[in-house]
Amino acid sequence: MALQPLTPQPPAFVAWEDEVTDELGAALDVCRSDAQGIVEAQAETMVSAWLRQLDAKTAAALVIEAATPKDAEGAAA
């Protein structure tokens, strides 16, 4: 697998991603680095939220939903 150079993100996206990270950290009561890791792990959800022009709070809620493991049987044991 060849490494590809990173494409710089537009400043508006970087600012929005920063807001989403702050919202996520506050919602989950986690440190900033943990919130950043969650955001980075949910890159597809972030891009989708950006393209849909969602605000940071809504995007953070979607990231939380996407990052939350689903119970295979639909109920806690």
Side-chain angles (χ1 to χ4, degrees), residues 1-58:
M1 177 171 95
L3 295 176
Q4 299 295 321
L6 293 175
T7 304
Q9 297 293 343
F13 178 84
V14 174
W16 173 81
E17 184 179 48
D18 193 49
E19 290 178 36
V20 174
T21 301
D22 289 343
E23 289 286 347
L24 188 69
L28 297 177
D29 194 27
V30 297
C31 66
R32 180 153 180 88
S33 63
D34 286 350
Q36 285 173 320
I38 295 167
V39 164
E40 289 176 14
Q42 296 300 323
E44 289 181 24
T45 301
M46 288 292 289
V47 169
S48 173
W50 172 254
L51 293 174
R52 291 166 52 196
Q53 299 180 352
L54 300 179
D55 62 84
K57 191 171 197 132
T58 303

